[in-house]
Amino acid sequence: MLSNFKVVLVETSHPGNIGAVARAMKNMQMHELRLVTPKFFPHADATARASGADDVLKSACVYPDLPAAIADCRIVLGASARDRTISWPALTARQCAEKWGGNPHNSPNIGLVFGRENSGLKNHELDLCHYLLRIPCNKAYSSLNLAAAVQVVCYELFVASGQEQTTNVGDQGEVPIATTEQMEAFYLHLQQTMADIGFLHPERSKSIMRRLRRIFNRTQLDTKELDILRGILRFSQNHNTK
Ligand code: SAH
């Protein structure tokens, strides 16, 4: 869990956005939401948009101002879509994730501060931040919806924390990939069957077998799938000899 990251929303106007942020956070294993003087909270629209992330909403704390909301944070990043006349050191969401997302257990509390829907963060609020946090996008249209911005940042942190699990379709890790030995036995069986049914002419056998190997090498069969194919071969051999 990325429990050292605290998402802070400043003066959010639309309660639906607060709900959508809670959902975006929970999707990415983040749970601590802090709200600085939201216009409406709690609110039915927030609950509706949270869509199952009610626990994040329920545990969200409301603060009277930004300093109170980030008091226990050692690093604070202020997310902004706009170029500022004064320049703060800036990091992209990915750079931030690479810097602090990889080792969440040893990282200090980090505040991720997001601004108002209509006017973003004020300069005096960015003064409280160590870095400006930027989501690179279309320069001519750079302002994301609040919850979409939170989603992108949390996603980058989630990926960097190494919690993503890639599973191939049909491979839940329970069925092992076939070994080379099993594949060789299968190729022999396949070649024999094709000869038995009169499909394989000895002079073409080498090149066809090479092409068939290429097909199967691309698919990485697991042992269950291999059993099915060998079953088909056995069946066609029996059928052929009847
Ligand atoms: N109209 C506002 C932007 C509001 S979007 C403005 O001019 O600043 C609401 C919040 O989402 C922003 O305050 C910021 O925290 C975040 N956000 C939106 N787009 C972003 C981007 N491209 N990079 C970083 N944060 C962004």
Side-chain angles (χ1 to χ4, degrees), residues 79-82 84 113-121 133-135 137 142-146 149:
S80 176
R82 257 183 301 142
R84 307 279 168 161
V113 184
F114 294 84
R116 300 154 189 84
E117 292 96 329
N118 55 359
S119 57
L121 289 170
L133 177 59
R134 224 175 247 300
I135 299 164
C137 54
S142 64
S143 173
L144 277 73
N145 162 267
L146 173 61

PDB file of all heavy atoms in Angstrom, residues 79-82 84 113-121 133-135 137 142-146 149, ligand 1:
ATOM      1  N   ALA A  79       0.259  20.006  -7.547  1.00  0.00           N
ATOM      2  CA  ALA A  79      -0.038  19.682  -8.951  1.00  0.00           C
ATOM      3  C   ALA A  79      -0.624  20.897  -9.650  1.00  0.00           C
ATOM      4  O   ALA A  79      -1.578  21.500  -9.165  1.00  0.00           O
ATOM      5  CB  ALA A  79      -1.013  18.515  -9.022  1.00  0.00           C
ATOM      6  N   SER A  80      -0.026  21.237 -10.770  1.00  0.00           N
ATOM      7  CA  SER A  80      -0.507  22.412 -11.498  1.00  0.00           C
ATOM      8  C   SER A  80      -0.406  22.205 -13.002  1.00  0.00           C
ATOM      9  O   SER A  80       0.595  21.693 -13.498  1.00  0.00           O
ATOM     10  CB  SER A  80       0.311  23.634 -11.084  1.00  0.00           C
ATOM     11  OG  SER A  80      -0.099  24.734 -11.856  1.00  0.00           O
ATOM     12  N   ALA A  81      -1.449  22.641 -13.687  1.00  0.00           N
ATOM     13  CA  ALA A  81      -1.471  22.517 -15.149  1.00  0.00           C
ATOM     14  C   ALA A  81      -0.838  23.735 -15.792  1.00  0.00           C
ATOM     15  O   ALA A  81      -0.399  23.697 -16.925  1.00  0.00           O
ATOM     16  CB  ALA A  81      -2.919  22.388 -15.611  1.00  0.00           C
ATOM     17  N   ARG A  82      -0.807  24.825 -15.011  1.00  0.00           N
ATOM     18  CA  ARG A  82      -0.416  26.123 -15.592  1.00  0.00           C
ATOM     19  C   ARG A  82       1.066  26.408 -15.464  1.00  0.00           C
ATOM     20  O   ARG A  82       1.692  26.035 -14.463  1.00  0.00           O
ATOM     21  CB  ARG A  82      -1.158  27.224 -14.856  1.00  0.00           C
ATOM     22  CG  ARG A  82      -2.314  27.778 -15.637  1.00  0.00           C
ATOM     23  CD  ARG A  82      -2.948  28.905 -14.860  1.00  0.00           C
ATOM     24  NE  ARG A  82      -3.434  28.516 -13.540  1.00  0.00           N
ATOM     25  CZ  ARG A  82      -3.349  29.296 -12.465  1.00  0.00           C
ATOM     26  NH1 ARG A  82      -2.748  30.474 -12.528  1.00  0.00           N
ATOM     27  NH2 ARG A  82      -3.857  28.909 -11.303  1.00  0.00           N
ATOM     28  N   ARG A  84       3.893  28.954 -14.487  1.00  0.00           N
ATOM     29  CA  ARG A  84       3.877  30.048 -13.507  1.00  0.00           C
ATOM     30  C   ARG A  84       4.972  31.046 -13.846  1.00  0.00           C
ATOM     31  O   ARG A  84       6.010  30.668 -14.399  1.00  0.00           O
ATOM     32  CB  ARG A  84       4.128  29.488 -12.101  1.00  0.00           C
ATOM     33  CG  ARG A  84       3.204  28.349 -11.720  1.00  0.00           C
ATOM     34  CD  ARG A  84       1.873  28.866 -11.246  1.00  0.00           C
ATOM     35  NE  ARG A  84       0.898  27.782 -11.151  1.00  0.00           N
ATOM     36  CZ  ARG A  84      -0.213  27.867 -10.433  1.00  0.00           C
ATOM     37  NH1 ARG A  84      -0.499  28.954  -9.753  1.00  0.00           N
ATOM     38  NH2 ARG A  84      -1.071  26.865 -10.423  1.00  0.00           N
ATOM     39  N   VAL A 113      -0.807  17.693  -3.558  1.00  0.00           N
ATOM     40  CA  VAL A 113      -1.828  18.738  -3.409  1.00  0.00           C
ATOM     41  C   VAL A 113      -2.422  19.102  -4.765  1.00  0.00           C
ATOM     42  O   VAL A 113      -1.689  19.400  -5.713  1.00  0.00           O
ATOM     43  CB  VAL A 113      -1.217  20.002  -2.751  1.00  0.00           C
ATOM     44  CG1 VAL A 113      -2.296  21.051  -2.505  1.00  0.00           C
ATOM     45  CG2 VAL A 113      -0.510  19.633  -1.448  1.00  0.00           C
ATOM     46  N   PHE A 114      -3.748  19.062  -4.840  1.00  0.00           N
ATOM     47  CA  PHE A 114      -4.451  19.382  -6.095  1.00  0.00           C
ATOM     48  C   PHE A 114      -5.350  20.599  -5.862  1.00  0.00           C
ATOM     49  O   PHE A 114      -5.963  20.741  -4.798  1.00  0.00           O
ATOM     50  CB  PHE A 114      -5.284  18.181  -6.550  1.00  0.00           C
ATOM     51  CG  PHE A 114      -4.418  16.997  -6.930  1.00  0.00           C
ATOM     52  CD1 PHE A 114      -3.956  16.121  -5.962  1.00  0.00           C
ATOM     53  CD2 PHE A 114      -4.052  16.784  -8.254  1.00  0.00           C
ATOM     54  CE1 PHE A 114      -3.141  15.041  -6.303  1.00  0.00           C
ATOM     55  CE2 PHE A 114      -3.233  15.714  -8.606  1.00  0.00           C
ATOM     56  CZ  PHE A 114      -2.778  14.839  -7.626  1.00  0.00           C
ATOM     57  N   GLY A 115      -5.452  21.425  -6.911  1.00  0.00           N
ATOM     58  CA  GLY A 115      -6.139  22.710  -6.736  1.00  0.00           C
ATOM     59  C   GLY A 115      -7.617  22.715  -7.095  1.00  0.00           C
ATOM     60  O   GLY A 115      -8.216  21.681  -7.399  1.00  0.00           O
ATOM     61  N   ARG A 116      -8.155  23.900  -7.063  1.00  0.00           N
ATOM     62  CA  ARG A 116      -9.586  24.127  -7.365  1.00  0.00           C
ATOM     63  C   ARG A 116      -9.867  23.843  -8.842  1.00  0.00           C
ATOM     64  O   ARG A 116      -9.001  24.106  -9.689  1.00  0.00           O
ATOM     65  CB  ARG A 116      -9.932  25.594  -7.083  1.00  0.00           C
ATOM     66  CG  ARG A 116      -9.703  26.024  -5.664  1.00  0.00           C
ATOM     67  CD  ARG A 116      -9.436  27.514  -5.567  1.00  0.00           C
ATOM     68  NE  ARG A 116      -9.021  27.869  -4.217  1.00  0.00           N
ATOM     69  CZ  ARG A 116      -7.750  27.766  -3.778  1.00  0.00           C
ATOM     70  NH1 ARG A 116      -6.784  27.339  -4.569  1.00  0.00           N
ATOM     71  NH2 ARG A 116      -7.458  28.096  -2.530  1.00  0.00           N
ATOM     72  N   GLU A 117     -11.103  23.432  -9.117  1.00  0.00           N
ATOM     73  CA  GLU A 117     -11.471  23.129 -10.501  1.00  0.00           C
ATOM     74  C   GLU A 117     -11.358  24.365 -11.396  1.00  0.00           C
ATOM     75  O   GLU A 117     -10.954  24.270 -12.545  1.00  0.00           O
ATOM     76  CB  GLU A 117     -12.908  22.608 -10.593  1.00  0.00           C
ATOM     77  CG  GLU A 117     -13.128  21.240  -9.979  1.00  0.00           C
ATOM     78  CD  GLU A 117     -13.651  21.334  -8.565  1.00  0.00           C
ATOM     79  OE1 GLU A 117     -13.306  22.318  -7.867  1.00  0.00           O
ATOM     80  OE2 GLU A 117     -14.407  20.435  -8.153  1.00  0.00           O
ATOM     81  N   ASN A 118     -11.766  25.533 -10.851  1.00  0.00           N
ATOM     82  CA  ASN A 118     -11.793  26.716 -11.737  1.00  0.00           C
ATOM     83  C   ASN A 118     -10.506  27.527 -11.735  1.00  0.00           C
ATOM     84  O   ASN A 118     -10.177  28.172 -12.724  1.00  0.00           O
ATOM     85  CB  ASN A 118     -13.000  27.614 -11.403  1.00  0.00           C
ATOM     86  CG  ASN A 118     -12.993  28.003  -9.933  1.00  0.00           C
ATOM     87  OD1 ASN A 118     -12.103  27.579  -9.179  1.00  0.00           O
ATOM     88  ND2 ASN A 118     -13.970  28.777  -9.520  1.00  0.00           N
ATOM     89  N   SER A 119      -9.744  27.474 -10.642  1.00  0.00           N
ATOM     90  CA  SER A 119      -8.570  28.366 -10.604  1.00  0.00           C
ATOM     91  C   SER A 119      -7.282  27.705 -10.122  1.00  0.00           C
ATOM     92  O   SER A 119      -6.266  28.382  -9.946  1.00  0.00           O
ATOM     93  CB  SER A 119      -8.891  29.581  -9.736  1.00  0.00           C
ATOM     94  OG  SER A 119      -9.266  29.138  -8.447  1.00  0.00           O
ATOM     95  N   GLY A 120      -7.312  26.415  -9.892  1.00  0.00           N
ATOM     96  CA  GLY A 120      -6.079  25.707  -9.522  1.00  0.00           C
ATOM     97  C   GLY A 120      -5.553  26.085  -8.142  1.00  0.00           C
ATOM     98  O   GLY A 120      -6.329  26.443  -7.242  1.00  0.00           O
ATOM     99  N   LEU A 121      -4.237  26.038  -7.989  1.00  0.00           N
ATOM    100  CA  LEU A 121      -3.597  26.397  -6.713  1.00  0.00           C
ATOM    101  C   LEU A 121      -3.085  27.832  -6.800  1.00  0.00           C
ATOM    102  O   LEU A 121      -2.623  28.272  -7.846  1.00  0.00           O
ATOM    103  CB  LEU A 121      -2.412  25.459  -6.434  1.00  0.00           C
ATOM    104  CG  LEU A 121      -2.768  24.019  -6.069  1.00  0.00           C
ATOM    105  CD1 LEU A 121      -1.497  23.157  -6.055  1.00  0.00           C
ATOM    106  CD2 LEU A 121      -3.486  23.931  -4.729  1.00  0.00           C
ATOM    107  N   LEU A 133       4.167  19.673  -9.483  1.00  0.00           N
ATOM    108  CA  LEU A 133       3.933  18.360 -10.090  1.00  0.00           C
ATOM    109  C   LEU A 133       3.144  18.558 -11.381  1.00  0.00           C
ATOM    110  O   LEU A 133       2.085  19.184 -11.379  1.00  0.00           O
ATOM    111  CB  LEU A 133       3.134  17.500  -9.106  1.00  0.00           C
ATOM    112  CG  LEU A 133       2.714  16.109  -9.530  1.00  0.00           C
ATOM    113  CD1 LEU A 133       3.919  15.261  -9.884  1.00  0.00           C
ATOM    114  CD2 LEU A 133       1.943  15.439  -8.390  1.00  0.00           C
ATOM    115  N   ARG A 134       3.692  18.012 -12.459  1.00  0.00           N
ATOM    116  CA  ARG A 134       3.110  18.275 -13.769  1.00  0.00           C
ATOM    117  C   ARG A 134       2.755  16.974 -14.472  1.00  0.00           C
ATOM    118  O   ARG A 134       3.540  16.026 -14.455  1.00  0.00           O
ATOM    119  CB  ARG A 134       4.169  18.975 -14.614  1.00  0.00           C
ATOM    120  CG  ARG A 134       3.668  20.108 -15.391  1.00  0.00           C
ATOM    121  CD  ARG A 134       4.834  20.773 -16.082  1.00  0.00           C
ATOM    122  NE  ARG A 134       5.085  22.099 -15.555  1.00  0.00           N
ATOM    123  CZ  ARG A 134       4.202  23.075 -15.593  1.00  0.00           C
ATOM    124  NH1 ARG A 134       3.015  22.899 -16.106  1.00  0.00           N
ATOM    125  NH2 ARG A 134       4.496  24.258 -15.113  1.00  0.00           N
ATOM    126  N   ILE A 135       1.594  16.972 -15.087  1.00  0.00           N
ATOM    127  CA  ILE A 135       1.239  15.841 -15.951  1.00  0.00           C
ATOM    128  C   ILE A 135       1.441  16.323 -17.382  1.00  0.00           C
ATOM    129  O   ILE A 135       0.725  17.219 -17.834  1.00  0.00           O
ATOM    130  CB  ILE A 135      -0.222  15.407 -15.729  1.00  0.00           C
ATOM    131  CG1 ILE A 135      -0.417  14.960 -14.283  1.00  0.00           C
ATOM    132  CG2 ILE A 135      -0.615  14.301 -16.699  1.00  0.00           C
ATOM    133  CD1 ILE A 135      -1.860  14.888 -13.847  1.00  0.00           C
ATOM    134  N   CYS A 137       1.062  16.953 -21.089  1.00  0.00           N
ATOM    135  CA  CYS A 137      -0.057  16.737 -22.015  1.00  0.00           C
ATOM    136  C   CYS A 137      -0.079  17.851 -23.064  1.00  0.00           C
ATOM    137  O   CYS A 137       0.861  18.651 -23.129  1.00  0.00           O
ATOM    138  CB  CYS A 137      -1.386  16.658 -21.256  1.00  0.00           C
ATOM    139  SG  CYS A 137      -1.682  18.055 -20.200  1.00  0.00           S
ATOM    140  N   SER A 142      -4.097  21.992 -21.442  1.00  0.00           N
ATOM    141  CA  SER A 142      -3.313  21.196 -20.489  1.00  0.00           C
ATOM    142  C   SER A 142      -4.019  20.920 -19.170  1.00  0.00           C
ATOM    143  O   SER A 142      -3.472  20.268 -18.301  1.00  0.00           O
ATOM    144  CB  SER A 142      -1.998  21.907 -20.211  1.00  0.00           C
ATOM    145  OG  SER A 142      -2.278  23.144 -19.587  1.00  0.00           O
ATOM    146  N   SER A 143      -5.250  21.429 -19.032  1.00  0.00           N
ATOM    147  CA  SER A 143      -5.911  21.273 -17.744  1.00  0.00           C
ATOM    148  C   SER A 143      -6.818  20.045 -17.725  1.00  0.00           C
ATOM    149  O   SER A 143      -7.830  19.996 -18.412  1.00  0.00           O
ATOM    150  CB  SER A 143      -6.717  22.539 -17.451  1.00  0.00           C
ATOM    151  OG  SER A 143      -7.492  22.355 -16.308  1.00  0.00           O
ATOM    152  N   LEU A 144      -6.414  19.050 -16.935  1.00  0.00           N
ATOM    153  CA  LEU A 144      -7.226  17.831 -16.811  1.00  0.00           C
ATOM    154  C   LEU A 144      -8.323  18.054 -15.784  1.00  0.00           C
ATOM    155  O   LEU A 144      -8.194  18.920 -14.898  1.00  0.00           O
ATOM    156  CB  LEU A 144      -6.355  16.664 -16.321  1.00  0.00           C
ATOM    157  CG  LEU A 144      -5.523  15.891 -17.323  1.00  0.00           C
ATOM    158  CD1 LEU A 144      -4.331  16.710 -17.792  1.00  0.00           C
ATOM    159  CD2 LEU A 144      -5.026  14.592 -16.695  1.00  0.00           C
ATOM    160  N   ASN A 145      -9.356  17.246 -15.870  1.00  0.00           N
ATOM    161  CA  ASN A 145     -10.345  17.214 -14.799  1.00  0.00           C
ATOM    162  C   ASN A 145      -9.614  16.815 -13.511  1.00  0.00           C
ATOM    163  O   ASN A 145      -8.666  16.016 -13.544  1.00  0.00           O
ATOM    164  CB  ASN A 145     -11.441  16.196 -15.151  1.00  0.00           C
ATOM    165  CG  ASN A 145     -12.240  15.786 -13.932  1.00  0.00           C
ATOM    166  OD1 ASN A 145     -11.929  14.794 -13.293  1.00  0.00           O
ATOM    167  ND2 ASN A 145     -13.247  16.560 -13.595  1.00  0.00           N
ATOM    168  N   LEU A 146     -10.051  17.362 -12.385  1.00  0.00           N
ATOM    169  CA  LEU A 146      -9.375  17.109 -11.110  1.00  0.00           C
ATOM    170  C   LEU A 146      -9.165  15.609 -10.841  1.00  0.00           C
ATOM    171  O   LEU A 146      -8.048  15.162 -10.537  1.00  0.00           O
ATOM    172  CB  LEU A 146     -10.196  17.757  -9.980  1.00  0.00           C
ATOM    173  CG  LEU A 146      -9.777  17.477  -8.558  1.00  0.00           C
ATOM    174  CD1 LEU A 146      -8.369  17.971  -8.285  1.00  0.00           C
ATOM    175  CD2 LEU A 146     -10.757  18.150  -7.578  1.00  0.00           C
ATOM    176  N   ALA A 149      -6.647  14.017 -13.105  1.00  0.00           N
ATOM    177  CA  ALA A 149      -5.269  14.354 -12.719  1.00  0.00           C
ATOM    178  C   ALA A 149      -4.811  13.471 -11.554  1.00  0.00           C
ATOM    179  O   ALA A 149      -3.703  12.922 -11.559  1.00  0.00           O
ATOM    180  CB  ALA A 149      -5.174  15.831 -12.356  1.00  0.00           C
TER     181      ALA A 149
HETATM  182  N1  SAH B   1      -8.239  25.800 -14.328  1.00  0.00           N
HETATM  183  C1  SAH B   1      -7.265  25.408 -13.371  1.00  0.00           C
HETATM  184  C2  SAH B   1      -6.963  23.945 -13.439  1.00  0.00           C
HETATM  185  C3  SAH B   1      -7.963  23.176 -12.735  1.00  0.00           C
HETATM  186  S1  SAH B   1      -7.821  21.491 -12.856  1.00  0.00           S
HETATM  187  C4  SAH B   1      -5.988  26.194 -13.550  1.00  0.00           C
HETATM  188  O1  SAH B   1      -5.957  27.075 -14.342  1.00  0.00           O
HETATM  189  O2  SAH B   1      -5.013  25.927 -12.860  1.00  0.00           O
HETATM  190  C5  SAH B   1      -7.840  21.051 -11.155  1.00  0.00           C
HETATM  191  C6  SAH B   1      -6.518  20.591 -10.617  1.00  0.00           C
HETATM  192  O3  SAH B   1      -6.115  19.392 -11.282  1.00  0.00           O
HETATM  193  C7  SAH B   1      -5.354  21.526 -10.792  1.00  0.00           C
HETATM  194  O4  SAH B   1      -5.332  22.534  -9.799  1.00  0.00           O
HETATM  195  C8  SAH B   1      -4.180  20.604 -10.655  1.00  0.00           C
HETATM  196  O5  SAH B   1      -3.945  20.340  -9.289  1.00  0.00           O
HETATM  197  C9  SAH B   1      -4.702  19.344 -11.333  1.00  0.00           C
HETATM  198  N2  SAH B   1      -4.282  19.266 -12.750  1.00  0.00           N
HETATM  199  C10 SAH B   1      -5.049  19.385 -13.859  1.00  0.00           C
HETATM  200  N3  SAH B   1      -4.306  19.253 -14.976  1.00  0.00           N
HETATM  201  C11 SAH B   1      -3.034  19.040 -14.574  1.00  0.00           C
HETATM  202  C12 SAH B   1      -1.794  18.844 -15.251  1.00  0.00           C
HETATM  203  N4  SAH B   1      -1.699  18.817 -16.563  1.00  0.00           N
HETATM  204  N5  SAH B   1      -0.673  18.675 -14.494  1.00  0.00           N
HETATM  205  C13 SAH B   1      -0.741  18.677 -13.140  1.00  0.00           C
HETATM  206  N6  SAH B   1      -1.873  18.874 -12.455  1.00  0.00           N
HETATM  207  C14 SAH B   1      -3.004  19.059 -13.141  1.00  0.00           C
END
